[in-house]
């Protein structure tokens, strides 16, 4: 079955906008996706009819807010095939999710221990481990990538040792679009007894994430890259690992007993969720997940691939354009450079034509240095983009090339 893109687009009110009289062509989906009306409605409805704090009030509104909030947790657990609802920890996003794990790890590491990450990392999955290692006197090792943007698996094997305590890698690279063989990497890491964290910020929106099948210990993602609100995300963790993971933030909601000098921690998921959570955000994310699950994921994937294939063909035919990241397994991310021009200038000229892309280091400065470039222009496609929008991108690039030549 092919995808009815027009019907899908109609659910996203923002996509009808114009920029400077030109139709908006939104190609910055790896930064954040747009929100369907059903998610916007869930947020408005919560604040209009149900707003109260969760888990505390002995009153109707609090009970209803708690029911919806915990219902959203159950939806997310079901979406990623978690074994239990309490394996889903609400966070403010992927960044906070990784910080929770890295901070806990910093308390568990000893001198001589090793952490393994890759050259592909977003800063959120790099700086966190740098800090954890520094605190413990542990070593951070980095798996290199080939020029294609694919990981060097032989180097991964060499760098994985009996001292490796944590292996962390992205499901999908935000800068290059590379899809990593996460099941294979996880199996190798588990064989040496390491914990495994998958940064799923970019992987989650492409569907089909099954945390049990992957076999990892942690999978982190953000609501806003999955058609949900900003300020909400998830740390999924295997229950047997999470239940004893050192706590990071402390305060209300996460405790069991408190005296003036001592405190004990509550059960999962609360022990890792201090303070009043982003209740509306969680409910909005639950709505986004339910909406996404109602779609035909195989058709979405085919559509995204068609967009990427078409854009890649036009890019290859475009004189003076260099694609950064040519992995065989890629999602709809086209990072590129226009010969003789700075990505920021390209982005500026595209914006004047209504085409929204990302320019810069893609929050991956070391990776940009690895490629010897200051950054890229990055067009990233989502399920509601069209082949005509890809044409608009390249028409705008033609103009940019003329103006910058
Ligand atoms: N990792 C990757 C691969 C990402 O693309 C992003 C967001 N750009 C993050 C981590 C951080 O996500 P957030 O800013 O939503 O916390």
């Amino acid at each position: 079955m092919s995808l009815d893109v027009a019907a899908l687009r109609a659910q996203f009110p923002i996509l009808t906008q114009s920029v400077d009289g030109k139709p908006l062509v939104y190609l910055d989906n790896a930064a954040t996706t747009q929100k369907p009306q059903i998610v916007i409605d869930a947020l408005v409805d919560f604040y209009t009819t149900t707003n109260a704090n969760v888990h505390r009030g002995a009153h109707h509104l609090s009970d209803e807010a708690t029911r919806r909030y915990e219902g959203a947790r159950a939806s997310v657990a079901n979406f990623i095939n978690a074994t239990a609802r309490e394996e889903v920890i609400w966070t403010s996003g992927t960044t906070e999710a990784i910080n929770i794990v890295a901070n806990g790890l910093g308390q568990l590491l000893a001198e001589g221990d090793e952490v393994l990450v890759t050259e592909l990392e977003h800063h959120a999955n790099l700086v966190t481990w740098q800090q954890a290692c520094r605190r413990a006197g542990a070593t951070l090792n980095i798996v290199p990538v080939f020029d294609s943007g694919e990981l060097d698996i032989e180097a991964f094997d060499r760098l994985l040792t009996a001292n490796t305590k944590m292996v962390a890698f992205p499901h999908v690279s935000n800068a290059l679009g590379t899809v990593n063989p996460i099941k294979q990497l996880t199996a190798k890491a588990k064989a040496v007894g390491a914990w495994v964290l998958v940064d799923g910020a970019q992987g989650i929106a492409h569907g089909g994430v099954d945390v049990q099948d992957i076999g990892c210990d942690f999978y982190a993602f953000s609501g806003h890259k999955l058609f949900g609100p900003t300020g909400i995300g998830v740390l999924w963790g295997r229950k047997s690992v999470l239940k004893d993971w050192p706590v990071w933030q402390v305060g209300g909601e996460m405790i069991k007993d408190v005296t003036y000098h001592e405190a004990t921690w509550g059960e999962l998921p609360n022990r890792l969720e201090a303070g009043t959570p982003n209740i509306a955000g969680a409910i909005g994310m639950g709505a986004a997940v339910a909406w996404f699950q109602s779609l035909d994921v195989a058709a979405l994937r085919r559509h995204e691939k068609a967009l990427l294939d078409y854009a890649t063909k036009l890019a290859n035919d475009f004189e003076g354009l260099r694609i950064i990241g040519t992995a065989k397994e890629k999602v709809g991310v086209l990072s590129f450079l226009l010969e003789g021009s700075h990505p920021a200038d390209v982005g500026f000229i595209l914006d004047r034509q209504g085409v929204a892309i990302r320019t810069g280091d893609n929050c991956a400065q070391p990776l940009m240095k690895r490629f010897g470039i200051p950054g890229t222009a990055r067009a990233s496609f989502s399920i509601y983009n069209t082949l005509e929008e890809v044409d608009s991108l390249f028409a705008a690039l033609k103009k940019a090339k003329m103006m910058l030549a």
Side-chain angles (χ1 to χ4, degrees):
M1 215 176 66
S2 73
L3 194 67
D4 185 348
V5 182
L8 198 61
R9 284 181 75 79
Q11 298 182 54
F12 289 80
I14 209 169
L15 296 178
T16 58
Q17 277 193 31
S18 298
V19 179
D20 276 353
K22 314 259 172 38
L24 168 68
V25 176
Y26 186 77
L27 301 179
D28 196 15
N29 295 287
T32 198
T33 52
Q34 297 303 344
K35 323 303 171 198
Q37 189 65 51
I38 203 165
V39 169
I40 300 167
D41 288 347
L43 294 172
V44 172
D45 185 62
F46 172 74
Y47 283 122
T48 309
T49 68
T50 318
N51 180 52
N53 212 328
V54 288
H55 302 147
R56 348 195 137 164
H59 59 81
H60 168 75
L61 276 188
S62 177
D63 287 349
E64 182 57 17
T66 305
R67 195 183 64 74
R68 290 197 194 186
Y69 173 73
E70 290 301 330
R73 194 192 302 272
S75 299
V76 170
N78 169 271
F79 180 56
I80 58 174
N81 197 27
T83 56
R85 192 187 59 81
E86 54 281 17
E87 292 187 333
V88 171
I89 308 297
W90 293 121
T91 67
S92 64
T94 309
T95 303
E96 188 182 52
I98 300 173
N99 268 278
I100 291 172
V101 179
N103 199 284
L105 185 75
Q107 300 175 51
L108 298 172
L109 286 175
E111 227 173 291
D113 285 344
E114 296 170 12
V115 172
L116 187 57
V117 298
T118 77
E119 279 187 344
L120 287 172
E121 305 312 330
H122 183 283
H123 297 154
N125 203 33
L126 176 64
V127 184
T128 36
W129 307 112
Q130 288 173 357
Q131 293 297 310
C133 286
R134 187 158 303 156
R135 213 169 308 147
T139 304
L140 184 64
N141 291 315
I142 319 282
V143 181
V145 286
F146 296 116
D147 289 345
S148 62
E150 285 159 326
L151 287 175
D152 180 342
I153 305 292
E154 280 176 21
F156 181 94
D157 291 343
R158 277 196 305 278
L159 289 163
L160 190 63
T161 76
N163 296 326
T164 309
K165 292 292 180 289
M166 172 68 74
V167 181
F169 44 81
H171 187 165
V172 168
S173 156
N174 62 307
L176 309 180
T178 313
V179 180
N180 289 314
I182 56 172
K183 226 176 132 171
Q184 182 195 1
L185 300 179
T186 299
K188 286 170 185 282
K190 294 313 291 177
V192 302
W195 288 295
V196 176
L197 178 139
V198 180
D199 171 357
Q202 297 294 335
I204 196 72
H206 304 282
V209 169
D210 178 335
V211 289
Q212 291 187 61
D213 183 54
I214 298 166
C216 55
D217 298 291
F218 304 100
Y219 191 96
F221 55 105
S222 304
H224 71 97
K225 296 188 198 269
L226 182 65
F227 314 103
T230 51
I232 186 75
V234 165
L235 169 66
W236 170 82
R238 187 186 298 284
K239 199 171 166 182
S240 55
V241 178
L242 272 191
K243 76 178 175 41
D244 300 319
W245 203 254
V247 300
W248 175 34
Q249 289 187 308
V250 292
E253 285 283 300
M254 56 75 67
I255 44 75
K256 188 171 166 205
D257 294 309
V258 182
T259 70
Y260 278 112
H261 294 286
E262 299 286 343
T264 54
W265 315 145
E267 302 292 322
L268 285 176
N270 306 47
R271 72 189 293 278
L272 292 166
E273 294 178 343
T276 297
N278 181 353
I279 305 166
I283 291 168
M285 186 166 176
V289 161
W291 173 82
F292 188 77
Q293 276 185 306
S294 74
L295 304 174
D296 176 351
V297 173
L300 298 180
R301 282 199 166 162
R302 278 196 304 275
H303 177 61
E304 271 188 72
K305 183 164 179 347
L307 292 168
L308 177 67
D309 287 351
Y310 184 50
T312 306
K313 182 189 168 312
L314 295 186
N316 282 328
D317 292 346
F318 197 102
E319 221 185 290
L321 187 152
R322 175 179 156 211
I323 300 176
I324 310 293
T326 51
K328 276 194 206 75
E329 292 292 326
K330 260 184 88 169
V331 297
V333 168
L334 185 75
S335 260
F336 60 92
L337 289 171
L338 269 194
E339 206 173 63
S341 52
H342 195 279
D345 296 332
V346 174
F348 179 78
I349 295 173
L350 262 56
D351 182 46
R352 299 269 66 81
Q353 294 166 83
V355 180
I357 61 162
R358 164 94 192 247
T359 62
D361 63 23
N362 300 297
C363 291
Q365 284 180 14
L367 182 65
M368 299 297 106
K369 287 195 187 109
R370 146 73 182 80
F371 278 89
I373 55 179
T376 68
R378 183 191 68 183
S380 51
F381 309 108
S382 186
I383 55 179
Y384 40 66
N385 289 125
T386 64
L387 294 173
E388 291 72 32
E389 288 184 311
V390 177
D391 284 331
S392 300
L393 165 68
F394 281 89
L397 279 173
K398 219 167 162 183
K399 234 179 207 173
K401 188 180 166 184
M402 267 164 27
M403 291 172 74
L404 294 168

